Amino acid sequence: MAKKSKKYRAAMELIEQGKFYDADAAVEIVKKTASAKFDETIELHVRLGVDPKYADQQVRGAVVLPNGTGKTKRVLVFAKGDKVKEAEDAGADYVGSDELVEKIQGGWFDFDVAVATPDMMGVVGRLGKLLGPRGLMPNPKLGTVTPNIAQAISEQKAGKIEYRTDKAGNVHCPIGKASFEPDKLKENYQTLIDTLIRVKPAAAKGQYIKSVTLAATMGPGVPVVLP
């Protein structure tokens, strides 16, 4: 087992063994555990009582965090005709059609999210095996396949994040940076928790939210009282 660093051990001392903290206290502590030289990301980890191998128990969607994530997303848009100018005016970083497809097929992935108009999905579909595994494939359920390109770009730039269960039923999402004010982290935290509760699958039985943990990039997890 790798030896924990001095900073990590010091961060562990801020967390009382076996204790669960309310959201306000957890946010304050997790900010203190972020001692790296860079602005660490604060992540929310939620274990859900679902079995993702069943389609009717999968939890996946997107939500706009009120205070963003602290990261500026590079948005690529697949569009043609009038939608090209609409995308450019809305702040898209890259806009195009077949030329972008060829670029991506050549190994270029210098963007964080891809958005497409519905009429472009025939072209974008050729990239499924490349974009899918990277979580970059436009999806109508996530609002990234839409005729309203300007709104989609605005939401992505404002801090829209995707949430989805992994194979074990866990959701891992960024809710901001260690430099954020506590109230902004708490607001983002509450927005994501409320969303996960709202989208609880009807097929999920028993306890739905099993554990909630906040952690900085390089820090230990801070257990949070269940909502």
Side-chain angles (χ1 to χ4, degrees), residues 62-125:
V63 59
V64 178
L65 298 180
N67 302 298
T69 63
K71 179 183 178 181
T72 301
K73 286 185 180 179
R74 297 163 298 175
V75 180
L76 177 148
V77 176
F78 293 102
K80 60 186 177 182
D82 294 342
K83 292 295 181 181
V84 171
K85 186 174 189 309
E86 181 183 335
E88 291 172 343
D89 290 347
D93 297 276
Y94 311 100
V95 188
S97 178
D98 292 289
E99 70 277 16
L100 287 180
V101 171
E102 291 178 11
K103 200 171 178 181
I104 291 167
Q105 288 173 330
W108 177 78
F109 298 96
D110 199 18
F111 55 96
D112 301 301
V113 61
V115 177
T117 54
D119 63 338
M120 289 299 300
M121 287 310 293
V123 174
V124 179

Short mmCIF file of all heavy atoms in Angstrom, two decimals, residues 62-125:
data_model
loop_
_atom_site.label_atom_id
_atom_site.label_comp_id
_atom_site.label_asym_id
_atom_site.label_seq_id
_atom_site.Cartn_x
_atom_site.Cartn_y
_atom_site.Cartn_z
N ALA A 62 -28.31 15.56 -16.76
CA ALA A 62 -27.44 16.73 -16.68
C ALA A 62 -28.13 17.81 -15.88
O ALA A 62 -29.37 17.88 -15.85
CB ALA A 62 -27.08 17.23 -18.07
N VAL A 63 -27.36 18.64 -15.23
CA VAL A 63 -27.91 19.72 -14.41
C VAL A 63 -26.96 20.92 -14.48
O VAL A 63 -25.73 20.75 -14.55
CB VAL A 63 -28.10 19.25 -12.94
CG1 VAL A 63 -26.79 18.81 -12.32
CG2 VAL A 63 -28.76 20.34 -12.10
N VAL A 64 -27.52 22.10 -14.46
CA VAL A 64 -26.71 23.32 -14.44
C VAL A 64 -26.47 23.72 -12.99
O VAL A 64 -27.42 23.99 -12.24
CB VAL A 64 -27.41 24.48 -15.18
CG1 VAL A 64 -26.56 25.75 -15.09
CG2 VAL A 64 -27.64 24.12 -16.64
N LEU A 65 -25.22 23.71 -12.56
CA LEU A 65 -24.89 24.13 -11.20
C LEU A 65 -24.99 25.65 -11.13
O LEU A 65 -24.43 26.35 -11.99
CB LEU A 65 -23.49 23.67 -10.81
CG LEU A 65 -23.27 22.15 -10.78
CD1 LEU A 65 -21.83 21.84 -10.39
CD2 LEU A 65 -24.24 21.48 -9.82
N PRO A 66 -25.67 26.20 -10.13
CA PRO A 66 -25.90 27.65 -10.07
C PRO A 66 -24.62 28.49 -10.05
O PRO A 66 -24.62 29.63 -10.50
CB PRO A 66 -26.72 27.83 -8.79
CG PRO A 66 -26.51 26.58 -8.01
CD PRO A 66 -26.30 25.49 -9.00
N ASN A 67 -23.53 27.90 -9.53
CA ASN A 67 -22.29 28.67 -9.44
C ASN A 67 -21.18 28.10 -10.31
O ASN A 67 -20.01 28.43 -10.13
CB ASN A 67 -21.83 28.73 -7.98
CG ASN A 67 -22.89 29.35 -7.09
OD1 ASN A 67 -23.25 30.51 -7.25
ND2 ASN A 67 -23.43 28.58 -6.14
N GLY A 68 -21.56 27.26 -11.28
CA GLY A 68 -20.56 26.69 -12.18
C GLY A 68 -19.63 25.73 -11.48
O GLY A 68 -19.81 25.40 -10.30
N THR A 69 -18.62 25.26 -12.20
CA THR A 69 -17.66 24.31 -11.64
C THR A 69 -16.27 24.92 -11.45
O THR A 69 -15.38 24.27 -10.92
CB THR A 69 -17.52 23.09 -12.57
OG1 THR A 69 -16.99 23.53 -13.83
CG2 THR A 69 -18.85 22.39 -12.78
N GLY A 70 -16.10 26.15 -11.93
CA GLY A 70 -14.78 26.76 -11.85
C GLY A 70 -13.91 26.41 -13.05
O GLY A 70 -12.76 26.83 -13.13
N LYS A 71 -14.46 25.64 -13.96
CA LYS A 71 -13.72 25.26 -15.16
C LYS A 71 -14.44 25.78 -16.39
O LYS A 71 -15.66 25.63 -16.51
CB LYS A 71 -13.60 23.73 -15.26
CG LYS A 71 -12.87 23.25 -16.52
CD LYS A 71 -12.85 21.73 -16.60
CE LYS A 71 -12.17 21.26 -17.89
NZ LYS A 71 -12.15 19.79 -18.02
N THR A 72 -13.70 26.40 -17.30
CA THR A 72 -14.28 26.90 -18.53
C THR A 72 -14.27 25.78 -19.56
O THR A 72 -13.22 25.26 -19.92
CB THR A 72 -13.48 28.09 -19.09
OG1 THR A 72 -13.47 29.13 -18.11
CG2 THR A 72 -14.12 28.61 -20.36
N LYS A 73 -15.45 25.39 -20.02
CA LYS A 73 -15.56 24.29 -20.97
C LYS A 73 -15.32 24.76 -22.40
O LYS A 73 -15.77 25.83 -22.80
CB LYS A 73 -16.96 23.66 -20.89
CG LYS A 73 -17.18 22.80 -19.66
CD LYS A 73 -18.55 22.12 -19.75
CE LYS A 73 -18.81 21.26 -18.55
NZ LYS A 73 -20.15 20.62 -18.62
N ARG A 74 -14.62 23.91 -23.14
CA ARG A 74 -14.44 24.14 -24.57
C ARG A 74 -15.57 23.40 -25.29
O ARG A 74 -15.65 22.17 -25.23
CB ARG A 74 -13.08 23.63 -25.03
CG ARG A 74 -11.90 24.34 -24.38
CD ARG A 74 -10.62 23.56 -24.53
NE ARG A 74 -10.73 22.26 -23.86
CZ ARG A 74 -9.80 21.31 -23.91
NH1 ARG A 74 -8.70 21.50 -24.61
NH2 ARG A 74 -9.97 20.16 -23.27
N VAL A 75 -16.44 24.16 -25.93
CA VAL A 75 -17.64 23.58 -26.55
C VAL A 75 -17.48 23.47 -28.06
O VAL A 75 -17.20 24.45 -28.74
CB VAL A 75 -18.88 24.43 -26.22
CG1 VAL A 75 -20.13 23.82 -26.87
CG2 VAL A 75 -19.08 24.53 -24.71
N LEU A 76 -17.67 22.26 -28.57
CA LEU A 76 -17.64 22.01 -30.00
C LEU A 76 -19.08 21.81 -30.48
O LEU A 76 -19.87 21.13 -29.82
CB LEU A 76 -16.81 20.76 -30.30
CG LEU A 76 -16.72 20.28 -31.75
CD1 LEU A 76 -15.37 19.63 -32.01
CD2 LEU A 76 -17.83 19.26 -32.07
N VAL A 77 -19.42 22.42 -31.60
CA VAL A 77 -20.79 22.32 -32.11
C VAL A 77 -20.79 21.79 -33.55
O VAL A 77 -20.07 22.31 -34.41
CB VAL A 77 -21.50 23.70 -32.09
CG1 VAL A 77 -22.88 23.60 -32.72
CG2 VAL A 77 -21.61 24.21 -30.66
N PHE A 78 -21.57 20.74 -33.77
CA PHE A 78 -21.79 20.22 -35.11
C PHE A 78 -23.04 20.92 -35.66
O PHE A 78 -24.14 20.73 -35.14
CB PHE A 78 -22.03 18.71 -35.09
CG PHE A 78 -20.82 17.92 -34.68
CD1 PHE A 78 -20.70 17.41 -33.40
CD2 PHE A 78 -19.79 17.68 -35.59
CE1 PHE A 78 -19.60 16.67 -33.02
CE2 PHE A 78 -18.67 16.95 -35.22
CZ PHE A 78 -18.56 16.44 -33.93
N ALA A 79 -22.85 21.75 -36.67
CA ALA A 79 -23.99 22.52 -37.21
C ALA A 79 -23.68 22.94 -38.65
O ALA A 79 -22.53 22.88 -39.10
CB ALA A 79 -24.25 23.75 -36.35
N LYS A 80 -24.71 23.36 -39.35
CA LYS A 80 -24.54 23.88 -40.70
C LYS A 80 -25.57 24.98 -40.95
O LYS A 80 -26.51 25.17 -40.16
CB LYS A 80 -24.69 22.76 -41.74
CG LYS A 80 -26.02 22.05 -41.73
CD LYS A 80 -26.01 20.86 -42.68
CE LYS A 80 -27.33 20.09 -42.63
NZ LYS A 80 -27.33 18.90 -43.51
N GLY A 81 -25.41 25.72 -42.03
CA GLY A 81 -26.35 26.78 -42.37
C GLY A 81 -26.37 27.90 -41.34
O GLY A 81 -25.33 28.29 -40.79
N ASP A 82 -27.57 28.41 -41.05
CA ASP A 82 -27.73 29.52 -40.11
C ASP A 82 -27.27 29.17 -38.70
O ASP A 82 -26.91 30.06 -37.92
CB ASP A 82 -29.20 29.96 -40.05
CG ASP A 82 -29.69 30.54 -41.37
OD1 ASP A 82 -28.82 30.93 -42.18
OD2 ASP A 82 -30.91 30.61 -41.58
N LYS A 83 -27.30 27.89 -38.36
CA LYS A 83 -26.92 27.46 -37.01
C LYS A 83 -25.43 27.68 -36.72
O LYS A 83 -25.02 27.76 -35.57
CB LYS A 83 -27.29 25.99 -36.78
CG LYS A 83 -28.78 25.72 -36.74
CD LYS A 83 -29.44 26.39 -35.55
CE LYS A 83 -30.92 26.11 -35.47
NZ LYS A 83 -31.57 26.78 -34.32
N VAL A 84 -24.64 27.79 -37.77
CA VAL A 84 -23.21 28.03 -37.58
C VAL A 84 -22.99 29.39 -36.93
O VAL A 84 -22.28 29.53 -35.94
CB VAL A 84 -22.44 27.95 -38.93
CG1 VAL A 84 -21.00 28.41 -38.74
CG2 VAL A 84 -22.49 26.52 -39.45
N LYS A 85 -23.63 30.42 -37.47
CA LYS A 85 -23.49 31.77 -36.91
C LYS A 85 -24.10 31.84 -35.51
O LYS A 85 -23.56 32.49 -34.62
CB LYS A 85 -24.14 32.81 -37.81
CG LYS A 85 -23.88 34.25 -37.33
CD LYS A 85 -24.41 35.27 -38.31
CE LYS A 85 -23.96 36.68 -37.94
NZ LYS A 85 -24.22 37.05 -36.54
N GLU A 86 -25.24 31.15 -35.33
CA GLU A 86 -25.88 31.14 -34.00
C GLU A 86 -24.91 30.56 -32.96
O GLU A 86 -24.78 31.09 -31.86
CB GLU A 86 -27.16 30.29 -34.03
CG GLU A 86 -27.89 30.24 -32.69
CD GLU A 86 -29.12 29.35 -32.71
OE1 GLU A 86 -29.69 29.15 -33.80
OE2 GLU A 86 -29.50 28.85 -31.64
N ALA A 87 -24.22 29.49 -33.34
CA ALA A 87 -23.27 28.85 -32.42
C ALA A 87 -22.08 29.76 -32.15
O ALA A 87 -21.63 29.91 -31.00
CB ALA A 87 -22.80 27.52 -32.99
N GLU A 88 -21.57 30.40 -33.19
CA GLU A 88 -20.42 31.30 -33.03
C GLU A 88 -20.79 32.49 -32.15
O GLU A 88 -20.02 32.88 -31.26
CB GLU A 88 -19.93 31.76 -34.40
CG GLU A 88 -19.29 30.66 -35.21
CD GLU A 88 -18.97 31.08 -36.65
OE1 GLU A 88 -19.52 32.10 -37.11
OE2 GLU A 88 -18.18 30.37 -37.30
N ASP A 89 -21.96 33.05 -32.38
CA ASP A 89 -22.41 34.21 -31.59
C ASP A 89 -22.63 33.83 -30.13
O ASP A 89 -22.50 34.67 -29.23
CB ASP A 89 -23.72 34.78 -32.17
CG ASP A 89 -23.51 35.47 -33.51
OD1 ASP A 89 -22.34 35.72 -33.87
OD2 ASP A 89 -24.52 35.75 -34.20
N ALA A 90 -22.98 32.55 -29.88
CA ALA A 90 -23.25 32.11 -28.51
C ALA A 90 -21.98 31.74 -27.76
O ALA A 90 -22.03 31.44 -26.57
CB ALA A 90 -24.20 30.91 -28.53
N GLY A 91 -20.84 31.75 -28.46
CA GLY A 91 -19.57 31.51 -27.78
C GLY A 91 -18.98 30.13 -27.96
O GLY A 91 -18.08 29.73 -27.19
N ALA A 92 -19.45 29.37 -28.95
CA ALA A 92 -18.87 28.05 -29.21
C ALA A 92 -17.39 28.19 -29.57
O ALA A 92 -16.99 29.14 -30.23
CB ALA A 92 -19.62 27.35 -30.34
N ASP A 93 -16.58 27.24 -29.13
CA ASP A 93 -15.15 27.30 -29.40
C ASP A 93 -14.82 26.74 -30.78
O ASP A 93 -13.88 27.19 -31.43
CB ASP A 93 -14.39 26.51 -28.32
CG ASP A 93 -14.58 27.11 -26.94
OD1 ASP A 93 -13.84 28.05 -26.61
OD2 ASP A 93 -15.48 26.67 -26.21
N TYR A 94 -15.59 25.74 -31.21
CA TYR A 94 -15.39 25.15 -32.53
C TYR A 94 -16.76 24.88 -33.15
O TYR A 94 -17.65 24.36 -32.47
CB TYR A 94 -14.62 23.82 -32.45
CG TYR A 94 -13.36 23.90 -31.61
CD1 TYR A 94 -13.35 23.43 -30.30
CD2 TYR A 94 -12.19 24.45 -32.12
CE1 TYR A 94 -12.20 23.51 -29.52
CE2 TYR A 94 -11.03 24.53 -31.35
CZ TYR A 94 -11.05 24.06 -30.05
OH TYR A 94 -9.92 24.15 -29.27
N VAL A 95 -16.93 25.22 -34.42
CA VAL A 95 -18.20 24.98 -35.11
C VAL A 95 -17.89 24.43 -36.49
O VAL A 95 -17.00 24.94 -37.19
CB VAL A 95 -19.04 26.27 -35.26
CG1 VAL A 95 -20.42 25.93 -35.81
CG2 VAL A 95 -19.16 27.02 -33.94
N GLY A 96 -18.62 23.39 -36.89
CA GLY A 96 -18.39 22.85 -38.22
C GLY A 96 -19.20 21.60 -38.46
O GLY A 96 -20.11 21.26 -37.70
N SER A 97 -18.83 20.89 -39.53
CA SER A 97 -19.57 19.70 -39.93
C SER A 97 -18.59 18.59 -40.28
O SER A 97 -17.88 18.09 -39.41
CB SER A 97 -20.48 20.04 -41.12
OG SER A 97 -21.18 18.91 -41.56
N ASP A 98 -18.53 18.23 -41.56
CA ASP A 98 -17.68 17.11 -41.99
C ASP A 98 -16.21 17.33 -41.66
O ASP A 98 -15.49 16.37 -41.36
CB ASP A 98 -17.84 16.88 -43.49
CG ASP A 98 -19.24 16.37 -43.84
OD1 ASP A 98 -19.52 15.20 -43.51
OD2 ASP A 98 -20.03 17.13 -44.41
N GLU A 99 -15.76 18.59 -41.71
CA GLU A 99 -14.35 18.85 -41.44
C GLU A 99 -13.99 18.52 -39.99
O GLU A 99 -12.88 18.06 -39.69
CB GLU A 99 -13.98 20.31 -41.77
CG GLU A 99 -14.55 21.37 -40.84
CD GLU A 99 -15.97 21.79 -41.17
OE1 GLU A 99 -16.66 21.07 -41.92
OE2 GLU A 99 -16.39 22.84 -40.66
N LEU A 100 -14.96 18.74 -39.06
CA LEU A 100 -14.71 18.39 -37.65
C LEU A 100 -14.73 16.87 -37.47
O LEU A 100 -13.96 16.33 -36.68
CB LEU A 100 -15.76 19.04 -36.74
CG LEU A 100 -15.64 20.55 -36.52
CD1 LEU A 100 -16.75 21.03 -35.59
CD2 LEU A 100 -14.28 20.91 -35.93
N VAL A 101 -15.61 16.21 -38.20
CA VAL A 101 -15.66 14.74 -38.15
C VAL A 101 -14.31 14.16 -38.56
O VAL A 101 -13.75 13.28 -37.89
CB VAL A 101 -16.78 14.19 -39.06
CG1 VAL A 101 -16.69 12.67 -39.16
CG2 VAL A 101 -18.15 14.60 -38.52
N GLU A 102 -13.76 14.67 -39.66
CA GLU A 102 -12.47 14.18 -40.16
C GLU A 102 -11.35 14.46 -39.15
O GLU A 102 -10.47 13.62 -38.93
CB GLU A 102 -12.14 14.85 -41.49
CG GLU A 102 -13.04 14.40 -42.63
CD GLU A 102 -12.73 15.11 -43.93
OE1 GLU A 102 -11.68 15.79 -44.00
OE2 GLU A 102 -13.54 15.02 -44.87
N LYS A 103 -11.42 15.62 -38.53
CA LYS A 103 -10.39 15.99 -37.55
C LYS A 103 -10.41 15.04 -36.35
O LYS A 103 -9.38 14.59 -35.87
CB LYS A 103 -10.64 17.44 -37.09
CG LYS A 103 -9.43 18.12 -36.47
CD LYS A 103 -9.72 19.61 -36.27
CE LYS A 103 -8.52 20.28 -35.60
NZ LYS A 103 -8.77 21.72 -35.36
N ILE A 104 -11.63 14.74 -35.89
CA ILE A 104 -11.77 13.83 -34.74
C ILE A 104 -11.36 12.41 -35.14
O ILE A 104 -10.71 11.71 -34.35
CB ILE A 104 -13.23 13.87 -34.22
CG1 ILE A 104 -13.50 15.23 -33.57
CG2 ILE A 104 -13.48 12.74 -33.21
CD1 ILE A 104 -14.97 15.51 -33.30
N GLN A 105 -11.72 12.00 -36.33
CA GLN A 105 -11.30 10.68 -36.81
C GLN A 105 -9.78 10.58 -36.89
O GLN A 105 -9.22 9.49 -36.81
CB GLN A 105 -11.93 10.38 -38.17
CG GLN A 105 -13.42 10.09 -38.10
CD GLN A 105 -14.07 9.95 -39.46
OE1 GLN A 105 -13.65 10.57 -40.45
NE2 GLN A 105 -15.13 9.15 -39.55
N GLY A 106 -9.13 11.73 -37.01
CA GLY A 106 -7.67 11.77 -37.06
C GLY A 106 -7.02 11.81 -35.69
O GLY A 106 -5.80 11.88 -35.57
N GLY A 107 -7.85 11.79 -34.63
CA GLY A 107 -7.31 11.72 -33.27
C GLY A 107 -7.36 13.01 -32.48
O GLY A 107 -6.75 13.11 -31.41
N TRP A 108 -8.09 14.00 -32.95
CA TRP A 108 -8.18 15.29 -32.24
C TRP A 108 -9.38 15.30 -31.29
O TRP A 108 -10.50 15.03 -31.69
CB TRP A 108 -8.32 16.42 -33.26
CG TRP A 108 -8.49 17.79 -32.66
CD1 TRP A 108 -7.52 18.58 -32.14
CD2 TRP A 108 -9.72 18.53 -32.54
NE1 TRP A 108 -8.05 19.77 -31.70
CE2 TRP A 108 -9.40 19.77 -31.93
CE3 TRP A 108 -11.04 18.26 -32.90
CZ2 TRP A 108 -10.36 20.74 -31.66
CZ3 TRP A 108 -12.01 19.22 -32.63
CH2 TRP A 108 -11.66 20.44 -32.01
N PHE A 109 -9.11 15.58 -30.02
CA PHE A 109 -10.18 15.63 -29.02
C PHE A 109 -9.98 16.82 -28.08
O PHE A 109 -10.17 16.71 -26.87
CB PHE A 109 -10.23 14.34 -28.19
CG PHE A 109 -10.53 13.12 -29.02
CD1 PHE A 109 -9.49 12.32 -29.48
CD2 PHE A 109 -11.83 12.78 -29.34
CE1 PHE A 109 -9.76 11.19 -30.26
CE2 PHE A 109 -12.10 11.66 -30.12
CZ PHE A 109 -11.06 10.87 -30.57
N ASP A 110 -9.61 17.96 -28.64
CA ASP A 110 -9.27 19.13 -27.82
C ASP A 110 -10.52 19.94 -27.46
O ASP A 110 -10.59 21.14 -27.72
CB ASP A 110 -8.25 19.99 -28.57
CG ASP A 110 -7.52 20.95 -27.64
OD1 ASP A 110 -7.55 20.71 -26.42
OD2 ASP A 110 -6.93 21.93 -28.13
N PHE A 111 -11.51 19.27 -26.88
CA PHE A 111 -12.74 19.94 -26.45
C PHE A 111 -13.34 19.16 -25.29
O PHE A 111 -12.97 18.00 -25.05
CB PHE A 111 -13.74 20.04 -27.62
CG PHE A 111 -14.06 18.72 -28.28
CD1 PHE A 111 -15.18 18.00 -27.91
CD2 PHE A 111 -13.24 18.20 -29.28
CE1 PHE A 111 -15.48 16.78 -28.51
CE2 PHE A 111 -13.52 16.99 -29.89
CZ PHE A 111 -14.65 16.27 -29.49
N ASP A 112 -14.24 19.80 -24.55
CA ASP A 112 -14.80 19.19 -23.34
C ASP A 112 -16.22 18.68 -23.51
O ASP A 112 -16.67 17.81 -22.78
CB ASP A 112 -14.78 20.20 -22.19
CG ASP A 112 -13.38 20.70 -21.89
OD1 ASP A 112 -12.51 19.86 -21.58
OD2 ASP A 112 -13.14 21.92 -22.00
N VAL A 113 -16.95 19.25 -24.45
CA VAL A 113 -18.34 18.83 -24.68
C VAL A 113 -18.69 19.06 -26.15
O VAL A 113 -18.22 20.01 -26.76
CB VAL A 113 -19.32 19.60 -23.75
CG1 VAL A 113 -19.25 21.09 -24.01
CG2 VAL A 113 -20.74 19.09 -23.89
N ALA A 114 -19.49 18.15 -26.68
CA ALA A 114 -19.93 18.28 -28.08
C ALA A 114 -21.45 18.44 -28.12
O ALA A 114 -22.18 17.71 -27.45
CB ALA A 114 -19.52 17.06 -28.89
N VAL A 115 -21.89 19.42 -28.91
CA VAL A 115 -23.31 19.71 -29.07
C VAL A 115 -23.63 19.58 -30.56
O VAL A 115 -22.78 19.87 -31.41
CB VAL A 115 -23.64 21.14 -28.58
CG1 VAL A 115 -25.10 21.48 -28.82
CG2 VAL A 115 -23.29 21.29 -27.10
N ALA A 116 -24.84 19.12 -30.88
CA ALA A 116 -25.21 18.96 -32.29
C ALA A 116 -26.67 19.33 -32.51
O ALA A 116 -27.51 19.11 -31.64
CB ALA A 116 -24.95 17.53 -32.75
N THR A 117 -26.95 19.86 -33.68
CA THR A 117 -28.35 20.05 -34.07
C THR A 117 -28.87 18.68 -34.53
O THR A 117 -28.09 17.84 -34.98
CB THR A 117 -28.47 21.07 -35.22
OG1 THR A 117 -27.61 20.65 -36.29
CG2 THR A 117 -28.08 22.46 -34.75
N PRO A 118 -30.18 18.43 -34.40
CA PRO A 118 -30.72 17.11 -34.76
C PRO A 118 -30.39 16.68 -36.19
O PRO A 118 -30.13 15.49 -36.44
CB PRO A 118 -32.23 17.31 -34.59
CG PRO A 118 -32.35 18.36 -33.53
CD PRO A 118 -31.22 19.31 -33.81
N ASP A 119 -30.35 17.63 -37.12
CA ASP A 119 -30.10 17.26 -38.51
C ASP A 119 -28.65 16.86 -38.77
O ASP A 119 -28.32 16.38 -39.86
CB ASP A 119 -30.50 18.42 -39.45
CG ASP A 119 -29.68 19.68 -39.21
OD1 ASP A 119 -29.13 19.83 -38.10
OD2 ASP A 119 -29.60 20.52 -40.12
N MET A 120 -27.79 17.03 -37.78
CA MET A 120 -26.37 16.67 -37.94
C MET A 120 -26.06 15.27 -37.41
O MET A 120 -24.95 14.78 -37.56
CB MET A 120 -25.48 17.69 -37.22
CG MET A 120 -25.41 19.05 -37.87
SD MET A 120 -24.73 18.99 -39.54
CE MET A 120 -23.12 18.32 -39.23
N MET A 121 -27.03 14.62 -36.76
CA MET A 121 -26.73 13.35 -36.09
C MET A 121 -26.38 12.23 -37.07
O MET A 121 -25.70 11.27 -36.71
CB MET A 121 -27.88 12.95 -35.17
CG MET A 121 -27.96 13.81 -33.91
SD MET A 121 -26.36 13.95 -33.04
CE MET A 121 -26.14 12.26 -32.47
N GLY A 122 -26.84 12.34 -38.32
CA GLY A 122 -26.44 11.36 -39.31
C GLY A 122 -24.94 11.40 -39.55
O GLY A 122 -24.29 10.36 -39.73
N VAL A 123 -24.39 12.59 -39.53
CA VAL A 123 -22.94 12.79 -39.70
C VAL A 123 -22.20 12.43 -38.42
O VAL A 123 -21.21 11.69 -38.43
CB VAL A 123 -22.65 14.26 -40.08
CG1 VAL A 123 -21.14 14.51 -40.11
CG2 VAL A 123 -23.28 14.60 -41.42
N VAL A 124 -22.71 12.92 -37.29
CA VAL A 124 -22.05 12.70 -35.99
C VAL A 124 -22.06 11.22 -35.61
O VAL A 124 -21.15 10.73 -34.94
CB VAL A 124 -22.74 13.53 -34.88
CG1 VAL A 124 -22.08 13.30 -33.53
CG2 VAL A 124 -22.69 15.02 -35.24
N GLY A 125 -23.09 10.49 -36.07
CA GLY A 125 -23.20 9.07 -35.74
C GLY A 125 -21.98 8.27 -36.14
O GLY A 125 -21.67 7.24 -35.54
#
